[in-house]
Amino acid sequence: MTVSAAEVDPPKAAKDVVGEAMCPYRLVLEHVTSRWGVLVLIELLDRPHRFSELRRAIGRVSEKMLTQTLQTLERDGLVHRDAKPVIPPRVDYSLTDLGREAARQVRDLALWTERRMADVERARAAYDDAKRA
């Protein structure tokens, strides 16, 4: 019996569906705390943004990654996409109530990280010194 590569290593989408069924909150946590998810949520906390504004504000994110991140957060009910029927098309992104709640939590964690960075750097140096000794 021959086993296909897809059966051995299913595509990421299939893994996400299985993971979501087994542990649904884990995927939401991954979306909210992902590299770009954190930055999108914090940026949208201040006000709605158009796609290009958001991309400039975040910096160094590809169009593809920002699109994927926004779609994922929209699917999770955290981001609202408002497409206006004008030419050229205008799309604004904002946070839902659920998204605002998540963004506040993420922002607080980011602020804590900023406040405690000196302690983290000292801990890293102590760890590295102990490893070298």
Side-chain angles (χ1 to χ4, degrees):
M1 176 178 182
T2 305
V3 178
S4 73
E7 290 173 312
V8 173
D9 189 21
K12 182 178 180 336
K15 289 178 186 176
D16 284 351
V17 170
V18 170
E20 189 172 359
M22 291 173 50
C23 194
Y25 68 88
R26 185 179 69 199
L27 277 179
V28 175
L29 185 60
E30 287 176 16
H31 300 159
V32 169
T33 61
S34 71
R35 177 181 185 180
W36 304 117
V38 166
L39 298 175
V40 165
L41 290 171
I42 291 172
E43 194 61 39
L44 289 177
L45 196 51
D46 292 332
R47 65 177 178 81
H49 284 69
R50 293 178 73 179
F51 184 89
S52 57
E53 289 178 309
L54 194 54
R55 188 167 180 216
R56 276 192 304 275
I58 291 172
R60 295 182 43 174
V61 60
S62 71
E63 188 173 319
K64 178 183 176 184
M65 282 308 304
L66 183 55
T67 298
Q68 287 177 351
T69 300
L70 287 166
Q71 287 173 344
T72 298
L73 295 174
E74 182 182 7
R75 180 173 183 255
D76 288 342
L78 305 175
V79 168
H80 174 72
R81 181 180 186 273
D82 183 21
K84 304 215 183 330
V86 295
I87 297 178
R90 179 184 172 108
V91 179
D92 291 310
Y93 294 91
S94 61
L95 294 175
T96 63
D97 289 341
L98 190 61
R100 262 188 295 289
E101 185 179 346
R104 286 185 194 110
Q105 299 294 322
V106 170
R107 181 192 58 199
D108 288 347
L109 181 58
L111 292 172
W112 174 86
T113 304
E114 186 178 334
R115 282 192 315 270
R116 300 305 297 243
M117 197 61 212
D119 296 320
V120 170
E121 288 171 347
R122 280 192 293 279
R124 287 176 177 172
Y127 178 89
D128 292 346
D129 289 346
K131 282 290 193 182
R132 282 190 282 272

